[in-house]
Amino acid sequence: MSDGKKSMTNLGSRQLLKRCLSYFLPFKKRLALAVVGMLVVAPCGAASAWLVKLAVDDVLIRKDVQALKLVTIAIFALMTLKGVFRFIQTYYMNSTGLMAIEALRNDLYERMVYLPLRFFNESQVGMLMSRLLNDVSLISQSLPSMVMFVRELFTVIGLIGYVIYLDRGLAFWGLIVMPMVVWVFKAFSRKLRKIGRKTQINASDLTVVLQEGLSGIRVIKAFAAESIEVGKFKTENHNFLKSSVKRIRLSEQSSRVMEIVGAMAAALVLWYGGMRVIDGNLTPGALLSFLTALAMLYEPIKRMNSANMDIQAALSGAERVFEILDAPDLKVETGGTEELDEPFQELSIEDIRFTYAEGNRPALDGISLRVRAGERVAIVGPSGSGKTTLVNLLPRFFEPQEGRILLNGRALSDYTLSSLRRFMGIVSQDAFLFNDTVSGNIAYGMQRRWDQREIEDAARAAYAHEFISELPAGYGTLVGERGVKLSGGQKQRLTIARAILKNPPLLILDEATSALDTESERIVQLALENLMRNRTSIVIAHRLSTVLTADRIVVMENGRVRAQGPHKELLDICPLYARLYSMQFAESDSVEAPDHGTL
């Protein structure tokens, strides 16, 4: 799934808002306090306008001292009440927004990690990070902005009622421009939603370039390609700038149009009301109170416009978030109900066919294979023959389109995914380590409590204890992101120690030594020998020297099994194997089988 330039979400604004608000509902008590604060604050505008009329007519014109005392106390009490309840509304609403975002971010990450590998093969890490961080954060604005919108709407309704009560004639001229306000909301909402979506896509693209650049910095420097990457970053950064500037322009245009509408209404009222004051048909206090109410009326309208901008931005983020959460074609991995906790008996692969989504030919085309308990089966073949694809079907990282795989006589889909994957130990050429301690990496994913002695025993069996002891904090040393503080051979030995501690009945080695130098390979081979001892193993190897003593060697080409058997037999019956062998051992006519230190 790619980020794309257009959202695939077809949800309307009302449905998106409903989905957003569902994450706020668990916090009903906090929301109730925020709503109470809103209901108290909303009528304060009309009350303030009424106090202005009293202050002008009764205090400034009639010079009533008692009225002065009452107005002074009333203004202080009103402003205090408004301040306290606005704090209650703002604090509880914004903090509730953060709590809702925590829940939404948890749901989104949980949804992602349970999706099949196919999803991650088709998605960019930077795009997924952008949705988890940027898009989710935008949604936190949705409910507070909606509450602010409703609060200001109530304020507007109260002020409209007051100005009509005060003077219907003035109210007519003050409210005649209201249809323009509605037009501004509708016209700019669509544009703001569209540019908000564009801005989020540009932010996602920028995150992708940044993540790839920082993750691949060694390759960038090796090819002296810094200027190329800087160029990519500048391009995406400029695209992000353009959409952000356009969003600011629309936002400011909307606000200024609102101000012009408000100024037009004030001018009409001032002209009409001023003439009435001159004629003696209206008191100055009434006119000033009306103008105050009118000014207060268009201030909340502008705040409603601002809230609408935040809501549209939240909806643009919500589209991208719920695209993952609700997409019907993104199905989480599912397993069966049987727990796989018995010893390994037999693995049967029957007429398997598998094609990648973007593939133009089958990666596996009618593969059949049987692995019995205690066997060491090697799989060899040229690049692209389907070796890694085949072993990726065993833990159900991918599902075959045809055929079936049986483990101990049952289909893989009958077993729970957790028990199936715990049953297998996988050591690949990509020795991935987490930014954790050495002990934490060795014990990663353990389903039971473990003690330090078990970890050290596993490390000794993996020939890792010696170099671990020389690290600054020993087993408590942080290895850095992806194990950057360790050499390739050291990282691989830690992954082998991890597999030894896991103690799986079935072991899968996917070119575990292909990326190592000769000395590191020799040590890792010894560690692998300890790992495979008395264990059923499937070994993918590029170097034939590591698999010559396997019980059976399976030769693959173009997604098919060409031959299988022991080394000497394959030399006679399989031209492909003989060619691979002669290419790797051209310097001698024959090579003795490797000793205990090899596979």
Side-chain angles (χ1 to χ4, degrees):
M1 174 182 166
S2 62
D3 198 31
K5 297 299 179 185
K6 289 200 315 184
S7 172
M8 294 185 295
T9 304
N10 293 317
L11 289 176
S13 297
R14 185 175 298 177
Q15 292 170 294
L16 280 172
L17 279 173
K18 187 176 179 181
R19 287 289 283 122
C20 292
L21 295 180
S22 67
Y23 281 88
F24 291 86
L25 293 180
F27 311 102
K28 292 186 178 70
K29 291 182 179 179
R30 300 178 68 88
L31 289 176
L33 288 171
V35 170
V36 168
M38 177 195 71
L39 293 175
V40 173
V41 169
C44 287
S48 299
W50 178 70
L51 287 175
V52 168
K53 180 178 184 300
L54 292 180
V56 174
D57 288 342
D58 293 350
V59 177
L60 298 181
I61 295 178
R62 298 175 188 169
K63 304 185 186 304
D64 188 336
V65 176
Q66 188 65 27
L68 175 61
K69 292 179 182 178
L70 291 175
V71 169
T72 302
I73 295 171
I75 289 176
F76 176 77
L78 182 64
M79 293 300 102
T80 302
L81 185 71
K82 183 178 179 181
V84 169
F85 280 90
R86 175 158 282 185
F87 168 80
I88 290 173
Q89 181 230 309
T90 303
Y91 170 74
Y92 280 104
M93 190 54 63
N94 289 340
S95 59
T96 302
L98 294 176
M99 294 175 184
I101 286 316
E102 178 193 28
L104 177 56
R105 193 170 277 136
N106 287 341
D107 283 355
L108 183 58
Y109 184 72
E110 183 178 4
R111 166 78 165 171
M112 283 182 180
V113 296
Y114 280 104
L115 290 173
L117 276 180
R118 173 179 57 83
F119 170 78
F120 296 95
N121 289 346
E122 298 171 1
S123 303
Q124 295 166 306
V125 173
M127 179 272 290
L128 299 178
M129 290 172 60
S130 179
R131 297 200 182 194
L132 267 169
L133 300 176
N134 301 335
D135 296 341
V136 169
S137 295
L138 282 177
I139 297 175
S140 66
Q141 305 170 6
S142 60
L143 184 60
S145 295
M146 283 187 63
V147 170
M148 187 171 99
F149 189 94
V150 173
R151 182 192 72 202
E152 303 303 337
L153 179 61
F154 282 153
T155 301
V156 167
I157 292 172
L159 287 167
I160 288 176
Y162 176 70
V163 297
I164 292 174
Y165 164 78
L166 195 62
D167 192 295
R168 293 185 181 181
L170 287 174
F172 172 79
W173 291 105
L175 301 177
I176 196 172
V177 295
M178 272 295 177
M180 293 183 64
V181 172
V182 176
W183 173 81
V184 171
F185 271 112
K186 286 188 175 181
F188 281 92
S189 290
R190 290 191 295 268
K191 293 179 181 179
L192 286 167
R193 174 88 166 271
K194 183 178 180 180
I195 193 60
R197 186 185 305 125
K198 176 69 174 176
T199 303
Q200 287 307 107
I201 290 174
N202 289 146
S204 177
D205 292 341
L206 183 62
T207 306
V208 168
V209 171
L210 181 63
Q211 188 272 332
E212 287 184 345
L214 297 181
S215 298
I217 191 66
R218 290 176 63 88
V219 176
I220 292 170
K221 289 188 174 297
F223 284 86
E226 290 93 340
S227 60
I228 296 175
E229 293 303 315
V230 169
K232 289 181 184 177
F233 185 85
K234 285 182 176 179
T235 298
E236 294 301 338
N237 201 19
H238 185 65
N239 291 337
F240 179 59
L241 171 67
K242 287 195 298 183
S243 58
S244 298
V245 168
K246 187 173 181 181
R247 181 179 174 185
I248 292 173
R249 185 173 72 245
L250 282 171
S251 174
E252 286 304 302
Q253 285 175 345
S254 175
S255 297
R256 300 299 78 80
V257 169
M258 285 295 185
E259 287 183 356
I260 293 171
V261 170
M264 186 184 303
L268 290 171
V269 168
L270 184 59
W271 171 78
Y272 178 72
M275 293 298 293
R276 290 181 60 188
V277 170
I278 292 172
D279 294 338
N281 297 325
L282 189 69
T283 66
L287 178 60
L288 186 58
S289 177
F290 192 95
L291 288 171
T292 301
L294 194 64
M296 288 183 171
L297 173 62
Y298 282 94
E299 279 302 314
I301 287 176
K302 287 194 290 184
R303 286 194 290 269
M304 287 170 64
N305 187 53
S306 176
N308 182 52
M309 295 176 195
D310 291 338
I311 291 171
Q312 297 307 317
L315 292 179
S316 67
E319 284 181 338
R320 290 158 50 80
V321 170
F322 294 121
E323 186 176 45
I324 293 178
L325 278 176
D326 299 338
D329 58 323
L330 294 180
K331 300 184 183 301
V332 299
E333 294 179 298
T334 57
T337 57
E338 294 293 325
E339 289 290 329
L340 181 54
D341 54 6
E342 57 188 347
F344 180 89
Q345 300 168 21
E346 184 179 75
L347 175 70
S348 179
I349 300 171
E350 301 177 358
D351 200 24
I352 288 296
R353 286 176 171 80
F354 176 82
T355 304
Y356 288 102
E358 303 297 327
N360 53 11
R361 66 176 181 83
L364 299 175
D365 189 9
I367 294 287
S368 294
L369 185 65
R370 191 174 297 256
V371 179
R372 299 174 182 82
E375 272 193 311
R376 186 179 300 181
V377 176
I379 303 177
V380 302
S383 297
S385 58
K387 306 184 296 294
T388 298
T389 300
L390 177 61
V391 296
N392 278 338
L393 297 181
L394 303 184
R396 295 188 64 198
F397 291 158
F398 300 101
E399 297 289 342
Q401 283 94 20
E402 296 181 35
R404 63 176 187 166
I405 303 176
L406 304 178
L407 180 57
N408 290 354
R410 280 184 173 272
L412 294 184
S413 57
D414 289 346
Y415 298 112
T416 63
L417 278 176
S418 57
S419 66
L420 175 67
R421 291 170 180 174
R422 285 197 301 267
F423 190 84
M424 302 175 187
I426 302 174
V427 180
S428 67
Q429 57 184 320
D430 180 19
F432 187 91
L433 298 179
F434 295 90
N435 186 24
D436 196 354
T437 62
V438 171
S439 291
N441 273 286
I442 293 176
Y444 180 77
M446 292 297 293
Q447 302 294 314
R448 58 178 177 80
R449 294 184 62 84
W450 45 265
D451 57 39
Q452 190 61 27
R453 176 173 294 182
E454 288 182 279
I455 290 177
E456 292 182 10
D457 288 344
R460 286 188 177 92
Y463 291 86
H465 179 73
E466 183 177 348
F467 85 78
I468 293 173
S469 301
E470 296 174 354
L471 294 174
Y475 283 84
T477 302
L478 287 171
V479 302
E481 185 179 1
R482 300 180 67 92
V484 68
K485 298 180 181 179
L486 303 178
S487 70
Q490 289 172 334
K491 289 193 290 185
Q492 194 62 288
R493 278 179 274 169
L494 288 190
T495 64
I496 293 170
R498 181 192 293 166
I500 290 174
L501 186 63
K502 185 180 182 182
N503 193 27
L506 176 61
L507 180 65
I508 299 171
L509 304 180
D510 186 0
E511 301 198 32
T513 63
S514 64
L516 303 178
D517 58 73
T518 303
E519 183 178 355
S520 298
E521 180 185 6
R522 184 182 63 81
I523 300 174
V524 170
Q525 290 283 9
L526 294 173
L528 289 173
E529 186 65 30
N530 284 341
L531 176 60
M532 289 189 294
R533 185 174 291 117
N534 302 321
R535 200 186 311 273
T536 307
S537 306
I538 299 175
V539 183
I540 295 177
H542 177 70
R543 300 172 186 173
L544 297 185
S545 60
T546 62
V547 297
L548 297 183
T549 57
D551 297 315
R552 187 155 37 102
I553 300 173
V554 178
V555 184
M556 290 184 63
E557 184 182 31
N558 295 328
R560 295 175 177 270
V561 173
R562 297 303 182 188
Q564 55 180 304
H567 164 65
K568 291 184 178 179
E569 180 180 323
L570 287 176
L571 286 176
D572 295 330
I573 67 172
C574 183
L576 173 59
Y577 183 81
R579 186 171 75 251
L580 294 173
Y581 178 81
S582 63
M583 289 170 60
Q584 294 189 26
F585 299 96
E587 294 182 359
S588 60
D589 294 329
S590 62
V591 174
E592 294 183 4
D595 60 13
H596 174 77
T598 64
L599 300 187

